[in-house]
Coordinates of all heavy atoms in Angstrom, one line a residue:
G19 N 74.1 5.3 103.8 CA 74.5 6.6 104.4 C 74.1 6.7 105.8 O 73.9 5.7 106.5
W20 N 74.0 8.0 106.3 CA 73.6 8.2 107.7 C 72.1 7.8 107.8 O 71.3 8.4 107.1 CB 73.8 9.6 108.1 CG 75.2 9.9 108.4 CD1 76.1 10.6 107.6 CD2 75.9 9.5 109.6 NE1 77.4 10.6 108.3 CE2 77.3 10.0 109.5 CE3 75.6 8.8 110.7 CZ2 78.2 9.7 110.4 CZ3 76.5 8.6 111.7 CH2 77.8 9.0 111.6
V21 N 71.8 6.9 108.8 CA 70.5 6.4 109.0 C 70.0 6.8 110.3 O 70.6 6.5 111.4 CB 70.4 4.9 108.8 CG1 69.0 4.4 109.0 CG2 70.9 4.5 107.4
N22 N 68.9 7.6 110.4 CA 68.3 8.0 111.7 C 67.2 7.0 112.1 O 66.4 7.3 112.9 CB 67.8 9.4 111.6 CG 68.9 10.4 111.6 OD1 70.0 10.1 112.1 ND2 68.6 11.5 110.9
G23 N 67.1 5.9 111.4 CA 66.0 4.9 111.7 C 66.5 3.6 111.4 O 66.4 3.2 110.2
I24 N 66.9 2.8 112.3 CA 67.4 1.5 112.0 C 66.5 0.4 112.6 O 66.5 -0.7 112.2 CB 68.8 1.3 112.7 CG1 69.8 2.2 112.1 CG2 69.3 -0.1 112.7 CD1 70.7 1.6 111.1
I25 N 65.6 0.8 113.5 CA 64.9 -0.2 114.3 C 63.7 -0.8 113.6 O 63.5 -2.0 113.7 CB 64.4 0.4 115.6 CG1 65.6 1.1 116.3 CG2 63.8 -0.6 116.5 CD1 66.9 0.2 116.4
Q26 N 63.0 -0.1 112.8 CA 61.9 -0.7 112.0 C 62.1 -0.4 110.6 O 62.4 0.8 110.2 CB 60.5 -0.1 112.5 CG 60.1 -0.7 113.8 CD 58.7 -0.3 114.1 OE1 58.1 0.6 113.6 NE2 58.0 -1.0 115.1
F27 N 61.9 -1.3 109.7 CA 62.1 -1.2 108.3 C 60.9 -1.7 107.6 O 60.5 -2.9 107.7 CB 63.4 -1.9 107.9 CG 63.7 -1.7 106.4 CD1 63.9 -0.5 105.9 CD2 63.8 -2.8 105.6 CE1 64.2 -0.3 104.5 CE2 64.1 -2.7 104.2 CZ 64.3 -1.5 103.7
D28 N 60.3 -0.9 106.7 CA 59.1 -1.4 106.0 C 59.3 -1.6 104.6 O 58.4 -1.7 103.8 CB 57.9 -0.4 106.3 CG 58.2 1.0 105.7 OD1 59.3 1.2 105.0 OD2 57.4 1.9 105.9
G29 N 60.6 -1.6 104.2 CA 60.9 -1.8 102.8 C 61.4 -0.5 102.2 O 62.1 -0.5 101.1
Q30 N 61.0 0.6 102.8 CA 61.4 1.9 102.3 C 61.9 2.8 103.4 O 62.9 3.6 103.2 CB 60.3 2.6 101.5 CG 59.9 2.0 100.2 CD 58.8 2.7 99.5 OE1 57.9 3.3 100.2 NE2 58.8 2.8 98.2
N31 N 61.3 2.8 104.5 CA 61.6 3.8 105.6 C 62.1 3.2 106.8 O 61.6 2.1 107.2 CB 60.3 4.6 105.9 CG 59.8 5.4 104.7 OD1 60.5 6.0 104.0 ND2 58.5 5.2 104.4
W32 N 63.0 3.8 107.5 CA 63.5 3.4 108.8 C 62.9 4.2 109.9 O 62.6 5.4 109.7 CB 65.1 3.6 108.8 CG 65.8 2.8 107.8 CD1 66.3 3.3 106.6 CD2 66.3 1.5 107.9 NE1 67.0 2.3 105.9 CE2 67.0 1.2 106.7 CE3 66.2 0.5 108.9 CZ2 67.6 0.0 106.4 CZ3 66.8 -0.7 108.6 CH2 67.5 -1.0 107.4
S33 N 62.7 3.6 111.0 CA 62.2 4.4 112.2 C 63.4 4.9 113.0 O 64.5 4.3 112.8 CB 61.3 3.5 113.1 OG 62.0 2.5 113.6
L34 N 63.3 5.9 113.8 CA 64.4 6.5 114.4 C 64.9 5.6 115.5 O 64.2 5.1 116.3 CB 64.0 7.9 115.1 CG 65.1 8.7 115.7 CD1 66.1 9.1 114.7 CD2 64.5 9.9 116.4
M35 N 66.2 5.4 115.6 CA 66.9 4.7 116.6 C 67.0 5.5 117.9 O 67.6 6.5 117.9 CB 68.3 4.2 116.2 CG 69.0 3.4 117.3 SD 70.7 3.1 116.9 CE 70.5 2.0 115.5
D36 N 66.3 5.0 118.9 CA 66.4 5.7 120.2 C 66.3 4.7 121.3 O 65.3 4.2 121.7 CB 65.3 6.7 120.4 CG 65.3 7.5 121.7 OD1 65.9 7.0 122.6 OD2 64.7 8.5 121.8
P37 N 67.5 4.2 121.8 CA 67.5 3.1 122.8 C 66.8 3.4 124.1 O 66.2 2.5 124.7 CB 69.0 2.8 123.0 CG 69.7 4.0 122.6 CD 68.8 4.6 121.5
T38 N 66.7 4.6 124.5 CA 66.0 4.9 125.8 C 64.5 4.8 125.6 O 63.9 4.0 126.4 CB 66.3 6.4 126.3 OG1 67.7 6.6 126.3 CG2 65.7 6.6 127.6
F39 N 63.9 5.4 124.7 CA 62.5 5.3 124.5 C 62.1 3.9 124.1 O 61.1 3.4 124.5 CB 62.0 6.3 123.4 CG 61.8 7.7 123.8 CD1 61.5 8.7 122.9 CD2 61.9 8.0 125.2 CE1 61.3 10.0 123.4 CE2 61.8 9.3 125.6 CZ 61.5 10.3 124.7
A40 N 62.9 3.2 123.3 CA 62.6 1.9 122.9 C 62.6 0.9 124.0 O 61.8 0.0 124.1 CB 63.6 1.4 121.8
A41 N 63.4 1.1 125.0 CA 63.5 0.2 126.2 C 62.3 0.4 127.1 O 61.9 -0.5 127.8 CB 64.8 0.4 126.9
N42 N 61.8 1.6 127.2 CA 60.8 2.0 128.2 C 59.4 2.2 127.7 O 58.5 2.4 128.5 CB 61.3 3.2 129.0 CG 62.6 2.9 129.7 OD1 62.7 2.1 130.6 ND2 63.7 3.4 129.2
A43 N 59.2 2.3 126.4 CA 57.9 2.6 125.8 C 56.9 1.5 125.9 O 57.3 0.4 125.6 CB 58.0 3.1 124.4
G44 N 55.7 1.8 126.4 CA 54.7 0.8 126.4 C 53.4 1.2 125.7 O 52.5 0.4 125.7
E45 N 53.4 2.4 125.2 CA 52.2 2.9 124.6 C 52.4 2.9 123.1 O 53.4 3.3 122.5 CB 51.9 4.3 125.1 CG 51.7 4.4 126.6 CD 50.3 3.9 126.9 OE1 49.4 3.8 126.0 OE2 50.1 3.5 128.1
K46 N 51.3 2.5 122.3 CA 51.4 2.5 120.9 C 51.7 3.9 120.4 O 52.4 4.1 119.4 CB 50.1 2.0 120.3 CG 50.0 2.0 118.8 CD 48.7 1.4 118.3 CE 48.7 1.4 116.8 NZ 47.4 0.8 116.3
E47 N 51.1 4.9 121.0 CA 51.3 6.3 120.5 C 52.7 6.7 120.6 O 53.3 7.4 119.8 CB 50.4 7.3 121.3 CG 48.9 7.1 121.0 CD 48.1 7.4 122.3 OE1 48.5 6.9 123.3 OE2 47.1 8.1 122.1
L48 N 53.4 6.3 121.7 CA 54.8 6.6 121.9 C 55.7 5.9 120.9 O 56.6 6.5 120.4 CB 55.2 6.3 123.3 CG 56.6 6.7 123.7 CD1 56.8 8.2 123.5 CD2 56.9 6.4 125.2
K49 N 55.3 4.7 120.6 CA 56.1 4.0 119.5 C 56.0 4.7 118.2 O 56.9 4.8 117.4 CB 55.6 2.5 119.5 CG 56.0 1.7 120.7 CD 55.6 0.2 120.5 CE 56.0 -0.6 121.7 NZ 55.7 -2.0 121.6
N50 N 54.8 5.2 117.9 CA 54.6 5.9 116.7 C 55.4 7.2 116.7 O 55.9 7.6 115.7 CB 53.1 6.2 116.4 CG 52.3 5.0 116.1 OD1 52.8 4.0 115.6 ND2 51.0 5.0 116.4
F51 N 55.5 7.8 117.9 CA 56.2 9.0 118.0 C 57.7 8.8 117.7 O 58.4 9.6 117.0 CB 56.1 9.6 119.4 CG 56.8 10.8 119.7 CD1 56.4 12.1 119.4 CD2 58.1 10.7 120.4 CE1 57.1 13.2 119.7 CE2 58.8 11.9 120.6 CZ 58.3 13.1 120.3
I52 N 58.2 7.7 118.2 CA 59.6 7.3 118.0 C 59.9 7.2 116.5 O 60.9 7.6 116.0 CB 60.0 6.0 118.7 CG1 59.9 6.2 120.2 CG2 61.4 5.6 118.4 CD1 60.0 4.9 121.0

């Protein structure tokens, strides 16, 4: 179905796909935010 998280998959949950933040994030906290 509609997936708002394609980038990380832990077997159950997807993380939100956001190409801008993903390209420019360098902080662990920001990655968790995404």
Side-chain angles (χ1 to χ4, degrees):
W20 282 104
V21 180
N22 288 333
I24 294 258
I25 305 313
Q26 287 189 341
F27 181 62
D28 63 6
Q30 290 183 327
N31 300 312
W32 300 94
S33 65
L34 185 64
M35 178 187 293
D36 181 338
T38 307
F39 278 174
N42 298 290
E45 297 287 340
K46 181 178 179 180
E47 292 146 314
L48 185 54
K49 291 184 180 182
N50 290 337
F51 178 84
I52 296 169

